[in-house]
Amino acid sequence: KKSGADAVKFQSFTANEIAVKNFKNNKIKNKFKKFSDNLHDFYKKFELPENFNLKLYNYCRKKNIIFMTSVFGEQSLNISKKYSTIIKIASFESNYFELFDKLIKLKKPLIISTGCSSEQDILKIKNFFKEKRYTNFSILHCGSAYPLQLNQVDLRYINNLKKIFPNNVIGYSDHTTNISTSIAAVALGARIIEKHFTLSKNDGAPDSFFSLEENDLKKMIVGIREVEQALGKSKKIIHR
């Protein structure tokens, strides 16, 4: 809130929703191995306690900032749906159409990341919602590497998403370590920006090393607001 953000998003996953207990099939081999050698234990360590949803929701109301969560299955949806006015779908769940069916029934705005989606997959998302006659969703361009390198960002794909979803809000979920990428995304038409935030890069959390601290988040948001103002109108005006 101090940095100027409109909303804060948490993740309401449960380990059983997103990882199997068969350790032969879920071994961790990358930089996150220091937290656990298998995905199920890794996610179990970072589950948000169920009663935290109400505590966080009430605190957000007190601070006048929108409370949101990402859901990963029916269990996390049932935990958070009464509190989250907007529901986020992470890239790895962007083809979870059985979950989408349950979300549509709630009639809440949805935000869907596409970091794991090919263009064919994205068109399947479009066709799914078209068949369901549901339009209250936004699509985020995204890259699901942590962190994402600049030569992997491909911000120009935002223009493609605007053509595929001409009547929906397009945004960008940013996993780079800088602030310029999100600012540039807004210049290209992104109207939602998602960025990982941490109170301290040294807090030991898995995503802290590529998250922004308060001062950098504030700089990013100031830059975004300046770009929004500078974009102005699409007609030529002579200023004196």
Side-chain angles (χ1 to χ4, degrees), residues 129-188:
F129 284 108
K130 184 178 180 180
E131 290 176 5
K132 299 293 180 177
R133 297 183 179 180
Y134 195 78
T135 60
N136 195 8
F137 66 94
S138 303
I139 296 289
L140 305 189
H141 176 49
C142 179
S144 291
Y146 306 94
L148 191 70
Q149 302 303 312
L150 288 175
N151 61 0
Q152 299 172 322
V153 174
D154 297 327
L155 283 181
R156 287 190 177 94
Y157 193 73
I158 289 173
N159 293 322
N160 295 51
L161 289 175
K162 288 161 66 177
K163 293 176 183 177
I164 296 171
F165 299 94
N167 300 314
N168 297 89
V169 171
I170 304 301
Y172 176 56
S173 180
D174 187 2
H175 294 134
T176 67
T177 57
N178 64 70
I179 67 173
S180 56
T181 310
S182 287
I183 297 171
V186 172
L188 286 172

Side-chain angles (χ1 to χ4, degrees), residues 174-178 182 193-197 212 217 220:
D174 187 2
H175 294 134
T176 67
T177 57
N178 64 70
S182 287
I193 295 295
E194 179 184 31
K195 189 76 173 178
H196 284 241
F197 171 77
L212 295 184
L217 182 63
M220 186 191 82

Side-chain angles (χ1 to χ4, degrees), residues 21-202:
K21 292 184 179 180
N22 186 337
F23 295 163
K24 291 182 180 180
N25 297 326
N26 68 4
K27 289 183 179 179
I28 297 176
K29 298 179 181 179
N30 58 18
K31 64 181 76 68
F32 299 108
K33 188 175 181 180
K34 65 180 180 179
F35 297 100
S36 176
D37 63 354
N38 71 87
L39 285 170
H40 191 275
D41 284 355
F42 172 83
Y43 288 121
K44 193 68 178 177
K45 287 181 180 180
F46 298 103
E47 284 182 349
L48 189 67
E50 184 173 342
N51 64 343
F52 268 45
N53 280 274
L54 178 58
K55 292 180 180 179
L56 292 168
Y57 171 74
N58 287 333
Y59 188 76
C60 287
R61 288 189 66 184
K62 181 179 177 181
K63 295 297 182 180
N64 194 29
I65 190 169
I66 297 169
F67 169 85
M68 295 172 51
T69 60
S70 293
V71 299
F72 298 81
E74 189 170 357
Q75 187 177 357
S76 55
L77 174 60
N78 289 336
I79 290 171
S80 61
K81 65 183 180 182
K82 68 176 73 173
Y83 308 115
S84 190
T85 55
I86 304 169
I87 296 177
K88 172 76 195 304
I89 303 299
S91 292
F92 292 95
E93 280 67 44
S94 61
N95 64 349
Y96 194 170
F97 296 115
E98 296 86 354
L99 179 60
F100 288 1
D101 272 325
K102 297 180 186 300
L103 293 170
I104 287 173
K105 293 176 182 177
L106 298 177
K107 298 181 179 180
K108 293 187 176 186
L110 308 177
I111 300 176
I112 304 167
S113 280
T114 58
C116 298
S117 303
S118 65
E119 187 160 292
Q120 184 178 3
D121 294 326
I122 291 170
L123 291 173
K124 287 179 181 179
I125 296 171
K126 177 181 180 178
N127 291 333
F128 172 85
F129 284 108
K130 184 178 180 180
E131 290 176 5
K132 299 293 180 177
R133 297 183 179 180
Y134 195 78
T135 60
N136 195 8
F137 66 94
S138 303
I139 296 289
L140 305 189
H141 176 49
C142 179
S144 291
Y146 306 94
L148 191 70
Q149 302 303 312
L150 288 175
N151 61 0
Q152 299 172 322
V153 174
D154 297 327
L155 283 181
R156 287 190 177 94
Y157 193 73
I158 289 173
N159 293 322
N160 295 51
L161 289 175
K162 288 161 66 177
K163 293 176 183 177
I164 296 171
F165 299 94
N167 300 314
N168 297 89
V169 171
I170 304 301
Y172 176 56
S173 180
D174 187 2
H175 294 134
T176 67
T177 57
N178 64 70
I179 67 173
S180 56
T181 310
S182 287
I183 297 171
V186 172
L188 286 172
R191 293 170 57 194
I192 298 171
I193 295 295
E194 179 184 31
K195 189 76 173 178
H196 284 241
F197 171 77
T198 182
L199 295 176
S200 171
K201 287 182 176 289
N202 299 315

